[in-house]
Amino acid sequence: MKKRGMKRQLQGTVVSDKMDRTVVVLVERLVKHPLYKKYIKRHNKYAAHDAENACGIGDKVVITECRPLSKSKRHRVSKIVDKAV
């Protein structure tokens, strides 16, 4: 059997949990400006599959790449790092 490569993992914050078994996760990263050498925040939103509907708004989660589950979902919630209060 062939061994599959490592899937990319991202850490972010849940910003929406209104859909059934789907959460929207905001992932922020720091990028160095090429001219001014100052760090700038960049962000992306990812729709992730949450099978148990366990995530709530404000939770810190780790999402993992997976096969396409729908038109917009290409990630899966692998673990909840910190629950929101």
Side-chain angles (χ1 to χ4, degrees), residues 18-54:
K18 294 184 182 207
M19 295 171 276
D20 186 32
R21 287 182 292 204
T22 304
V23 292
V24 178
V25 179
L26 181 81
V27 176
E28 283 189 341
R29 60 193 171 86
L30 290 173
V31 178
K32 196 177 213 178
H33 192 280
L35 178 62
Y36 300 114
K37 311 300 185 221
K38 184 175 180 178
Y39 284 97
I40 309 165
K41 279 186 185 176
R42 298 282 186 208
H43 65 269
N44 285 79
K45 287 183 182 176
Y46 297 99
H49 184 68
D50 178 23
E52 295 89 33
N53 281 328

